[in-house]
Amino acid sequence: MLVPIEWLKDYIDPGVSLDEFCDRMIMSGSNLETCEVFGGDIEKVVVGRIEAIEPHPDADKLVICRMDVGQEDLLQIVTGAPNVFEGALVPVALHKSRIPGPLYGQPKQEGGVKITKGKLRGVESYGMFCSCSELGFEDKVVPVAHRDGIWILPDDLTPGEEFTEALGLKQAVVDFEITPNRPDCLAMVGMAREASATFGRPFAYPDITMEEENGEGEAADRIAVEINNSESCRRYVARVVTDVKVQQSPWWLQKRLMYAGMRPINNIVDITNFVMLEYGQPIHAFDIRQVRGGKIIVENAKSGEVFTTLDETDRTLSGDMLMIRDAERPIAVAGVMGGLNSEIEADTQTIVIESANFAAGSVRRTAKALGLRTEASARFEKGIDPNLCADAADRVCRLIELVGGGRVCPGRVDVYPSPQQAKTLDVRVDRINAVLGIELTREEMTAMLEGLEIQVAGEGNIMTVTPPTVRQDLLIEEDYVEEIARMYGYDRLPVTMPRDSNEVRTTYEWELRDMTRRTLCALGLNEIQTYSFVSPSSVDRVGIAEDSWERAFVRIINPLGEENSVMRTILTPNMLETLGRNYARNIEQVKAFEIGNTFTATDLNSDHLPDEEYSLCIGMYGKKEDFFTLKGVVVEMLKVLGIREPIFMAEHEYGPYHPGRCARISVSASDQMRAAGIEMEELGIMGEIHPDVAERYGLDGVRIYCCELMFNAIIRKADTEVVYRPLPKYPATARDIALQVDEDLEVGKIEKVIREHGGSILEDVRLFDVYRGRQVEEGQKSVAFSLVYRDREKTLTDEEVSAVHTEVLKALKDNLNAVLREM
């Protein structure tokens, strides 16, 4: 919110320096972005009057002007400005003057531009005429009347006056950062109220008294208002002004708008914008000739209806958009922008002033759907007090009378179905002091609150407070605690340490994720992070089946593009993209992992929230990497998390992986799952990426190994509790066996049978060899295990070990047809 200090002083004089004003406003809760002082970088620029204009002898587009700049002799200046005329008052930059710039067609220079005399096509020029932009005003605030050419100044100035002094350009503008809960401060009156409370200075509201001497009847005789959607339009005030004269606004009005960041257009439009900035209440004016039937109707649009707004754009409306209509057609999008069919024109004689209150949600939805955000919609979206409507409309009429822009019809049309009342609340004096750590009396607090126009009643410890309706943020006791803190001064509040010692703790799930990160990093892997928004074609590239759950995408409503239009269901495509990117940059070996969220739509035809779970993906390639390298990483990681004896079962049909080099990773199910008939709980899948899939990621001929684990399942099975076990006192004995088994028999099944029948003395089982060759029959293979036996209570005898070992061999023979080979 840009607040010109000169304009602020129309309502309150803070009585302090600019620096102190800024500092104390910050400490009372009004944070500011910048504070700029304008006009100080303009030197030796004066008001000049064009006394005579002569053609340039050698240039058709240049003229020679004889200037009265308050000196004894006329000054000669050559210009190419198209809008100069004899008698015009213009800003003249004299020899050795300085202006902010930039000059026309040139970039802006730090420190401004120095102007000196020179020759233009052989004719001496002792200065330069200036445009608004050359004098430091941004293009967006240059008045419409001066956008093309030299700045033509008001007629009441005197030649030779210093330009900045004559127009009052040397002034400060403070840019306040307004939080969304304080829409009342998006107005000069709101900021003046804050300054009044901060500095304890008197505050005057704008003058809204009018003559209303129009003898042509009252406003109600010319316009009627009907609200058909009172939820979206809470109030509508209409006033009528006749004998309108559309002309340029007086300089004081233009100056306030320009320093507040708005472009002056004409007196009627400028006054509506002025009042919007002054009260925070958007105003619109209609040419009454274009309001057919003399009636304004507020109702929803007809679905599919096309309406042309003031920016000359055709917009297709939907049935939930609120519109302002006359008896036959729409004439404005409520709270957003007026229509081209009812705008103020040069010959407009009678206007209708609209000061209405529209619901924040309705305006926000409409502005977003139309892609049209305006100063008006930005204010309505934050919420505006409907009790401002009448005063704002009266203020517009007062200013129109003041600038001679028309005559105001007596009375107003005011439709206010449910007037908004102030909300009263009890707050406790001792509670405020306890929260803030201060000791203020009730009287001191009352003075602070009344300075903010909050009424205080009651007695003793209880203050019954009633805020002005414009303060829609004051709802609970804590809001008033904040008000007292602001007015007392944040810099004056005592600083104390918390009395309680609060231990900061992480969740068990977070600890497991962190433990996993540390373990994988220790194993030589690097952590990566990728985007959750992916392309729907990502699962196609990795060969996921059409009917797979991995295609249950959560779709983004407003994606940046098709490549970011859904949320990922698995991490493998992102991992392969990362590996492919590194391989393309000649990185010979990569070992990476990612722990990230995946999202699965639970019901594509409902509004149910998706399933959001953590997944872990590991990917690697390089000369020393193979299936068993990856398996070793997985086993060690699970071991650290307390998950021992994972089972690896061959998988032949999962699209991303090589059908002969892929395994599902499972663990024994919990007792609860076993009771439901589920013996194994799957953790994930690992293996070598299918060559066709690798080729799609630019990894032709490279063996890629990946693993994706459901981390939520790992969390359920993890057991990180460490139980001390003393070192064994008694020796172990090892027995090595070589088994001849069918080629397609999985090693995991063999290991499972050994463990099930090894009893309590079987301490460890390790595979140390797989052999295929001449000594093994075709269709068979030899697998060799080392079995370690130990009893922690005594030394095992050979007979005790043999008995268990024989039972293991028998079980292998009976269950798997595994035949013992001689070692």
Side-chain angles (χ1 to χ4, degrees), residues 388-613:
L388 290 175
C389 293
D391 287 349
D394 290 348
R395 178 61 170 167
V396 171
C397 295
R398 165 61 181 162
L399 291 175
I400 290 176
E401 286 186 346
L402 185 65
V403 302
R407 297 199 301 163
V408 180
C409 288
R412 69 171 80 98
V413 178
D414 189 353
V415 181
Y416 198 179
S418 301
Q420 181 171 320
Q421 304 296 329
K423 297 179 181 179
T424 298
L425 181 73
D426 289 342
V427 298
R428 296 162 291 176
V429 173
D430 58 356
R431 172 62 177 167
I432 295 174
N433 281 326
V435 172
L436 300 180
I438 55 180
E439 294 183 2
L440 293 178
T441 64
R442 174 194 171 94
E443 289 71 24
E444 289 173 317
M445 292 186 187
T446 299
M448 292 178 183
L449 294 175
E450 288 179 346
L452 292 166
E453 300 186 339
I454 299 172
Q455 299 176 15
V456 181
E459 58 185 22
N461 186 51
I462 303 298
M463 295 189 297
T464 302
V465 293
T466 306
T469 53
V470 73
R471 290 297 305 274
Q472 300 180 38
D473 59 310
L474 299 180
L475 302 174
I476 58 177
E477 185 176 35
E478 286 71 15
D479 295 328
Y480 290 91
V481 174
E482 182 182 2
E483 293 303 291
I484 295 297
R486 291 195 310 114
M487 294 299 103
Y488 183 76
Y490 289 130
D491 55 329
R492 297 174 59 196
L493 293 176
V495 179
T496 57
M497 294 297 292
R499 294 181 181 178
D500 297 330
S501 176
N502 296 320
E503 183 180 355
V504 178
R505 288 192 162 196
T506 56
T507 64
Y508 178 62
E509 291 79 4
W510 189 94
E511 291 177 353
L512 289 178
R513 291 195 297 272
D514 193 52
M515 187 181 299
T516 302
R517 290 186 176 97
R518 293 197 304 267
T519 301
L520 292 175
C521 288
L523 291 170
L525 281 75
N526 294 297
E527 185 174 8
I528 65 171
Q529 261 191 328
T530 60
Y531 289 114
S532 297
F533 296 172
V534 298
S535 169
S537 63
S538 61
V539 293
D540 295 327
R541 295 180 71 189
V542 295
I544 297 295
E546 289 292 335
D547 58 349
S548 176
W549 63 267
E550 287 95 333
R551 293 181 179 271
F553 291 118
V554 177
R555 299 193 174 274
I556 309 302
I557 295 176
N558 55 340
L560 296 176
E562 179 66 15
E563 67 277 7
N564 304 109
S565 61
V566 299
M567 303 188 78
R568 63 189 180 187
T569 55
I570 54 175
L571 302 182
T572 301
N574 295 31
M575 176 62 71
L576 292 176
E577 284 187 8
T578 301
L579 296 180
R581 192 178 304 116
N582 280 270
Y583 183 73
R585 287 160 174 74
N586 299 318
I587 307 299
E588 295 181 355
Q589 182 181 32
V590 174
K591 299 169 70 174
F593 73 94
E594 177 179 11
I595 301 176
N597 292 91
T598 56
F599 310 84
T600 309
T602 53
D603 186 348
L604 298 177
N605 298 317
S606 73
D607 294 330
H608 293 161
L609 292 175
D611 288 333
E612 180 178 349
E613 296 192 347

Side-chain angles (χ1 to χ4, degrees), residues 246-448:
V246 180
Q247 56 194 7
Q248 191 172 334
S249 298
W251 169 240
W252 67 265
L253 178 56
Q254 293 189 50
K255 180 172 64 173
R256 278 160 170 66
L257 290 177
M258 292 168 70
Y259 279 119
M262 299 198 78
R263 183 196 304 280
I265 298 174
N266 61 53
N267 57 343
I268 302 300
V269 175
D270 292 351
I271 287 172
T272 60
N273 286 333
F274 181 91
V275 173
M276 178 181 70
L277 294 174
E278 189 174 44
Y279 277 88
Q281 168 65 48
I283 304 290
H284 189 69
F286 300 102
D287 186 334
I288 201 168
R289 296 174 302 179
Q290 306 301 331
V291 182
R292 297 177 181 175
K295 188 172 187 179
I296 289 176
I297 303 171
V298 186
E299 63 183 13
N300 284 23
K302 299 174 183 177
S303 185
E305 190 173 21
V306 177
F307 178 67
T308 305
T309 47
L310 278 171
D311 57 359
E312 301 183 6
T313 301
D314 291 339
R315 304 183 185 277
T316 302
L317 310 176
S318 60
D320 61 346
M321 295 178 180
L322 192 68
M323 299 295 292
I324 310 299
R325 313 178 71 91
D326 59 20
E328 302 176 10
R329 58 185 181 157
I331 55 176
V333 182
V336 181
M337 184 176 283
L340 191 63
N341 58 7
S342 59
E343 70 172 332
I344 304 299
E345 298 177 345
D347 62 344
T348 297
Q349 295 182 342
T350 302
I351 61 173
V352 178
I353 304 297
E354 171 198 272
S355 179
N357 186 275
F358 304 110
S362 172
V363 174
R364 186 182 302 111
R365 288 191 299 270
T366 299
K368 184 176 181 181
L370 295 177
L372 182 62
R373 199 164 189 268
T374 61
E375 286 284 345
S377 69
R379 283 167 167 76
F380 278 124
E381 287 175 17
K382 293 177 176 63
I384 297 177
D385 178 17
N387 292 323
L388 290 175
C389 293
D391 287 349
D394 290 348
R395 178 61 170 167
V396 171
C397 295
R398 165 61 181 162
L399 291 175
I400 290 176
E401 286 186 346
L402 185 65
V403 302
R407 297 199 301 163
V408 180
C409 288
R412 69 171 80 98
V413 178
D414 189 353
V415 181
Y416 198 179
S418 301
Q420 181 171 320
Q421 304 296 329
K423 297 179 181 179
T424 298
L425 181 73
D426 289 342
V427 298
R428 296 162 291 176
V429 173
D430 58 356
R431 172 62 177 167
I432 295 174
N433 281 326
V435 172
L436 300 180
I438 55 180
E439 294 183 2
L440 293 178
T441 64
R442 174 194 171 94
E443 289 71 24
E444 289 173 317
M445 292 186 187
T446 299
M448 292 178 183

Side-chain angles (χ1 to χ4, degrees), residues 19-91:
D19 289 342
E20 184 177 353
F21 173 80
C22 293
D23 290 342
R24 290 183 61 181
M25 289 297 286
I26 290 173
M27 289 305 167
S28 67
S30 299
N31 193 28
L32 60 87
E33 297 275 2
T34 60
C35 177
E36 294 186 63
V37 178
F38 292 87
D41 50 358
I42 299 176
E43 300 174 6
K44 294 190 69 177
V45 178
V46 299
V47 176
R49 181 169 57 227
I50 302 175
E51 298 293 346
I53 300 177
E54 303 171 5
H56 193 289
D58 296 320
D60 293 338
K61 294 184 178 180
L62 297 179
V63 293
I64 303 171
C65 298
R66 308 292 180 186
M67 301 299 302
D68 178 2
V69 292
Q71 300 175 1
E72 186 174 342
D73 298 324
L74 295 181
L75 193 71
Q76 177 175 292
I77 292 180
V78 180
T79 181
N83 63 329
V84 295
F85 56 92
E86 292 183 357
L89 292 174
V90 298

Side-chain angles (χ1 to χ4, degrees), residues 206-222:
D207 181 14
I208 57 174
T209 58
M210 292 163 289
E211 295 180 3
E212 293 185 332
E213 295 181 355
N214 193 323
E216 301 181 22
E218 297 197 355
D221 298 331
R222 291 173 168 269

